[in-house]
Amino acid sequence: MPQQDPAVPLVSVVVVNYRGADETIACLRALAEHDYPNLEVICVDNASGGDDVARIRNAVPGVRLVTSETNRGFAGGCNLGAREANGTVLALLNNDARPAPGWVGTAVATLRAEPTVGAVASKVLDWEGTGTDFVDAGLTWFGMGYKPRAGGPIADVPRAEHEVTKDVLFATGSAMFVRSSVFAELGGFDERFFMFYEDVDLGWRLNLRGWRVRYVPESLTYHRHHATMSEVDSPDGGRETFLLERNALAALYKNVSDETLAAALPAALALTVRRATARGELDPTQLDLEHGTGPADTSPVAVPRSTLAGVLAVDQFVEQLPSLARSRAVEQAARVRTDADLLPLLRNAFEPAYPLPRYLAAHDILVEAFGLERAFGTRRKVLVLTGDAITERMAGPAIRAWNIAEVLSGEHDVRLVTVNPLAEPPPAPFPVSAARRRDLAEPVEWADVVILQGHVLEMAPALKDEYAHKIVVCDLYDPMHLELLEQTKDVPDDRRAADLDGVTRVLDAQLQRGDFFLCASERQRHLWLGHLAATGRLTPRLYDSDPTTQSLLSVVPFGLSDRPPQRTGAGLRSSLGLSESDRVVLWAGGVYSWFDPLTLVRAVERLSDRRGDARLVFLGMKHPNPEVTEMDIGARTMRLSDTLGLTGKHVFFNQEWVAYDDRQNWLLDADCGVTTHFEHIETTFAFRTRVLDYLWAGLPIITTDGDAFADLVRREQLGVVVPAEDTEALADALEKCLYDTDFVDGCRERIAVVAQRYTWPNVLDPLVKFVRDPRPAADRLAGAADLTREPPLNRAQKVRRDVALVKEYLSDGGPAELTRRAAGRVRKIVRTRLGRG
């Protein structure tokens, strides 16, 4: 094996020989002269017999030659070579192929640059370089992989189809690269295939597990094609047809979902039989009494080998079913992609593949009868999990979960499930239910994608263990730990610290588990990027897959309805006894510890001295979620209002939460909206969700400075931004937004434009795009491993290292420092050895 450059991955090329010494020697010699610096070449002889082994060993002595006692087929031969390989990248090359310059280097460059690419498909031309062998991959609904454009002149193929990199379903086994760790994770090729479609099956399984297979045209080879098969079969011998038919059924059975299999397998079996009879031109009516009732005829019927191949393929598929069923269970449990996800990679799933009239008629009949176009287009299953109460009176997290479910339900099958005991949902275009912890197993198992909020991951531990392969989206729009710092100020110190530690662990678990994260603002994005870095998630592999991290963490603000508010009933004026001439400022959300309603009440007192018709209304004092702890800030606000003589005159408290579908009536009765808060870290990263309702209703906004919405209000001139706890400034802002008509009209005009950016369909666009093509995060792909590794130090290098350290320690602290460091190293060695023992 050549000396490895640690900066360049070692690539192990596996070439399988079977009675093809001349072709194999030519291939191995070409590899010996290849331009990649770190190449290990392994030749597997599949019990060729004769003098093949001796000839290869003598002709190419530098090649590692592995001999098999039996013919293991192409699949088994490649697996045997892979087990002997040392490289972090496997290259599989047919013995009747020759690589062009750059064949290895360009493929490796793709694997290094794109950590989510598990395999590279080379471009393959015929031996002269004028004919097309492999420039794309396709798959029929009945499991037969095919190579679009194969067999024709490359000059007739549009350049955009063969000179541009693209994702494909599979790479041809005649020239492909795969990460060694991923090949091992998948168990290599399925040796039951022997040869043909083992590469289709491998690529299919890679894609199902979230890996990409990337066609790289600069990785070029030339292929003589079928040199090995000609040793054991003739065009009419039927052996190749048998393998193609049987292996197509096996690949289909292993890899499609339960729903697709129920429709596709019986149709595929029937089509296999029709293909067989059509190929052999058998008379399909010869045993049908309706077409003749003459004397019984028991003479043998000649059956062409091409027909026999199809019948025997079905027979042997049945024979393999017990072991295939075990493999199917593994693949279905590990998959993270749906059949619909892969449909674009199939290219033309309803390509009949054989131009035989009787066969074509049967193909169309079966596609229609079994509804196969619908089967392969099955909608994705999305589970939205929330811990908030789902009722007519919903708070922010429930509103967000509801709208996520509603927007996604346009394209997918969606369930909204709350783990809160309070679930009395309004009518919805998707199923809504409540579940206890023990009831979550069924919806989690059902889902292809799970979107969760808050503490829900702790309620569904199977997502960390049994269903660790599931795609999980974590909605981090609510920085719970920062809220808790304010919320628990009156709690005993030890309890407060313990609560914070618990919430932080909950968030850490989400950050470790998630494949995609949502936050509400750019400020929050910076916060969560820091968390991800601190928890070790921003790995080189994840960073290399997307240095922007946008595909991992996207800004999805709270949203508002894309339908303008329409009055449907009584609003705040009739409910609270306010006149039409009163000027009303509305506090549209709950009253929590991190808010500052006290300064607001004092500002209303000052304003009331000069504006007797000014009114402040709190929309809802009692949170609809019974699990949310009551906070004393609400009681303090009402006491202050009572003390100042404002309650029922200038300040009004609606004790019950206004129903979500009724809130527009209260908003339409208001003249402006307000939110005030103290200056602290929660404010810095908060996103005041109910402020979106002000935009929806076109209300000028008064807000305290310091949060993301204050930046928006200031930048877009949507109202007035005031300093924290500044009573005078707040009173002046209230007066301006309630009584300055020109100012209010300008605000409303600008709000109408800004509001469109915050409609739910618009803000949820990053999530919609992710769920259309969901994949595990790059660092969570099964089988991922480093492509390059630093080699261990040899004895001389270790001595030089130790001498350098001694000099450094003596320079830093003299003999005492050296003694301390040496003792520490001894203790470390002892602990390591005891741990191993």
Side-chain angles (χ1 to χ4, degrees), residues 593-712:
S593 299
W594 45 89
F595 288 133
D596 178 19
L598 304 175
T599 301
L600 177 60
V601 169
R602 295 188 183 100
V604 169
E605 180 197 24
R606 298 202 182 181
L607 179 61
S608 67
D609 290 340
R610 55 185 186 264
R611 298 286 188 176
D613 58 350
R615 306 288 183 261
L616 168 63
V617 173
F618 287 90
L619 186 73
M621 300 300 291
K622 184 176 177 58
H623 198 284
N625 185 353
E627 295 185 345
V628 173
T629 305
E630 289 289 335
M631 303 178 202
D632 73 339
I633 189 67
R636 289 170 58 197
T637 303
M638 289 187 286
R639 284 199 302 271
L640 176 62
S641 178
D642 292 344
T643 301
L644 297 176
L646 299 175
T647 305
K649 297 177 182 177
H650 294 280
V651 179
F652 297 81
F653 298 96
N654 181 53
Q655 294 300 325
E656 294 301 320
W657 204 263
V658 173
Y660 181 62
D661 288 337
D662 192 35
R663 73 196 190 286
Q664 72 278 2
N665 298 314
W666 289 60
L667 289 161
L668 291 171
D669 273 357
D671 296 292
C672 70
V674 65
T675 178
T676 52
H677 43 252
F678 296 109
E679 189 174 5
H680 45 54
I681 193 170
E682 190 276 340
T683 293
T684 304
F685 295 106
F687 193 88
R688 307 303 181 199
T689 56
R690 287 305 181 104
V691 175
L692 270 299
D693 281 342
Y694 302 154
L695 293 179
W696 184 47
L699 299 179
I701 301 168
I702 303 162
T703 180
T704 308
D705 205 355
D707 68 358
F709 257 114
D711 294 341
L712 178 71

Side-chain angles (χ1 to χ4, degrees), residues 780-799:
R780 295 195 64 256
L781 284 162
D786 296 330
L787 288 181
T788 55
R789 305 185 185 99
E790 187 173 4
L793 298 178
N794 59 36
R795 179 171 296 181
Q797 289 170 326
K798 289 179 179 178
V799 169

